[in-house]
């Protein structure tokens, strides 16, 4: 297997990839952007890519939501959830009181801005492509880095030439980020009973009740939505698609029936994958929306069409 991930090395994304069985001993190549990682899979340069898709503090990672919903189709085959903790690193001899620019990724800054306001009030955020990139830039003065950087603890562990000025600086101790492993379309991961299905559904037309028609496809079949976000398609102002995660696998009758209903409403729907949930949680499935209930109902209709008396 050849893996790629949103790099550079030492990011939370690489930590998520290393949780995949066999990934630690496989070939791994960092990518500079989410688009670059996914394009490597589309082009065949990599078999799968690990990218962030959702953060418990900042919500959906828009770069991933948009990139996976457009272009040649891809499939999510696995998800991983990684606890997010941060440290503040700098070149040796740097004092916290002297900080004026702190480099890190925007999502990391959002999770540490309270700490920064209290402990480095004169410092401003210097955007970096990743938490690791901001920290590693400190080792190259020619890159005009910040005075310090916020990054994952693994970066400081692997680069002892960086000095840790503060640890556990996140504003939300329970913060986690959800990552997805994405590959080219193929055989779906087996149904486990604790699964998730992701789709991108364009809004067919901007009118009253259009979103309700989409949601009704799930509600009528007892399908729980674990996430829904609207994203602009980029075609024109007011044109959106909905990125949706639901509890269940496309092999579940209720999920398959809901997706078929969505396809009638929005034929451009994109199936993004059915895969095991990272937390292993099984959804509550009411008796009237089990596979047996759907099969029984279909059998009843077929019997009537065959001339039997409806009961």
């Amino acid at each position: 297997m050849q893996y790629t991930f949103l790099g550079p090395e030492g990011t939370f994304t690489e930590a998520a990839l290393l949780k995949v069985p066999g990934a630690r001993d496989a070939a791994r190549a960092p990518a500079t952007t989410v688009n670059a990682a996914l394009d490597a899979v589309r082009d065949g340069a990599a078999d799968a890519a690990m990218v962030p898709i959702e953060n418990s503090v900042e919500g959906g990672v828009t770069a991933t939501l948009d990139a996976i919903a457009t272009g040649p189709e891809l499939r999510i085959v696995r998800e991983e959830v990684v606890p997010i903790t941060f440290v503040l690193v700098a070149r040796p001899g740097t004092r916290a009181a002297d900080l004026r620019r702190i480099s890190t990724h925007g999502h990391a800054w959002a999770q540490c801005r309270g700490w920064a306001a209290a402990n480095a009030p004169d410092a401003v955020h210097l955007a970096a492509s990743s938490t690791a990139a901001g920290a590693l830039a400190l080792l190259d003065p020619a890159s005009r880095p910040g005075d310090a950087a916020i990054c994952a603890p693994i970066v400081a562990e692997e680069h002892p030439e960086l000095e840790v000025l503060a640890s556990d600086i996140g504003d939300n101790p329970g913060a986690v980020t959800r990552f997805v492993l994405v590959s080219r379309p193929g055989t779906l991961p087996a149904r486990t009973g604790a699964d998730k299905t992701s789709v991108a559904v364009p809004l067919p037309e901007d009118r009253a009740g259009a979103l309700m028609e989409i949601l009704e496809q799930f509600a009528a079949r007892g399908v729980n939505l674990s996430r829904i976000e609207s994203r602009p398609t980029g075609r024109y102002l007011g044109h959106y698609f909905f990125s949706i995660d639901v509890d269940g696998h496309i092999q579940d009758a209720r999920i398959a029936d809901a997706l078929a209903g969505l396809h009638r409403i929005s034929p451009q729907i994109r199936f993004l994958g059915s895969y095991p949930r990272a937390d292993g949680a099984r959804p509550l499935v009411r008796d009237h929306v089990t596979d047996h209930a759907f099969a029984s109902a279909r059998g009843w209709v077929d019997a009537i069409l065959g001339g039997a008396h409806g009961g």
Side-chain angles (χ1 to χ4, degrees):
M1 288 287 291
Q2 172 74 47
Y3 291 102
T4 186
F5 61 94
L6 178 61
E9 296 177 351
T11 59
F12 292 108
T13 312
E14 185 180 27
L17 177 57
L18 292 177
K19 297 178 70 173
V20 176
R24 189 173 294 274
D25 298 323
R28 304 187 305 275
T32 55
T33 65
V34 168
N35 279 334
L38 298 183
D39 285 344
V41 177
R42 290 182 170 117
D43 297 341
D47 297 303
M50 184 68 79
V51 290
I53 197 168
E54 183 182 10
N55 178 266
S56 61
V57 177
E58 288 294 288
V61 179
T62 57
T64 300
L65 297 178
D66 294 347
I68 201 173
T70 58
E73 288 196 27
L74 295 168
R75 293 284 187 270
I76 299 172
V77 296
R78 186 184 182 94
E79 71 171 8
E80 298 289 350
V81 175
V82 177
I84 305 300
T85 59
F86 299 101
V87 296
L88 181 71
V89 298
R91 291 179 292 273
T94 302
R95 299 187 310 165
D98 297 332
L99 299 183
R100 295 295 179 269
R101 298 191 306 166
I102 298 177
S103 179
T104 194
H105 189 273
H107 274 218
W109 180 255
Q111 295 180 65
C112 300
R113 61 164 61 100
W115 182 93
N119 295 276
D122 296 327
V124 297
H125 174 219
L126 179 64
S129 59
S130 70
T131 53
L136 296 179
L138 296 172
L139 304 177
D140 179 19
S143 66
R144 302 182 67 185
D147 304 310
I150 293 172
C151 63
I154 189 175
V155 177
E157 294 167 4
E158 295 180 350
H159 295 276
E161 60 271 37
L162 293 173
E163 181 178 341
V164 177
L165 302 183
S167 301
D168 295 324
I169 63 174
D171 300 333
N172 300 273
V176 298
T177 293
R178 174 179 162 233
F179 299 84
V180 290
L181 188 66
V182 181
S183 68
R184 292 180 293 278
T187 302
L188 296 176
R191 177 170 58 167
T192 68
D195 305 292
K196 188 177 291 184
T197 293
S198 298
V199 293
V201 187
L203 191 65
E205 56 182 319
D206 186 14
R207 59 174 174 77
L211 175 57
M212 181 175 291
E213 285 186 1
I214 291 174
L215 298 179
E216 283 177 342
Q217 302 305 312
F218 298 113
R221 296 164 178 86
V223 177
N224 182 58
L225 276 64
S226 57
R227 183 186 61 84
I228 179 170
E229 296 185 49
S230 63
R231 294 293 305 149
T233 63
R235 293 175 57 186
Y236 54 83
L237 189 64
H239 194 253
Y240 293 87
F241 73 87
F242 290 93
S243 177
I244 301 173
D245 293 335
V246 301
D247 293 340
H249 195 284
I250 194 172
Q251 292 178 340
D252 297 331
R254 70 187 189 282
I255 302 297
D257 207 53
L259 297 188
L262 281 175
H263 191 273
R264 293 195 301 272
I265 296 171
S266 180
Q268 300 304 312
I269 180 176
R270 174 167 289 199
F271 173 74
L272 300 178
S274 289
Y275 46 93
R277 291 177 59 105
D279 59 10
R282 292 174 175 266
L284 174 63
V285 181
R286 304 291 183 182
D287 290 343
H288 68 285
V289 291
T290 62
D291 284 5
H292 174 74
F294 273 90
S296 177
R298 184 71 257 176
W300 175 73
V301 171
D302 289 344
I304 294 174
L305 293 175
H309 295 287

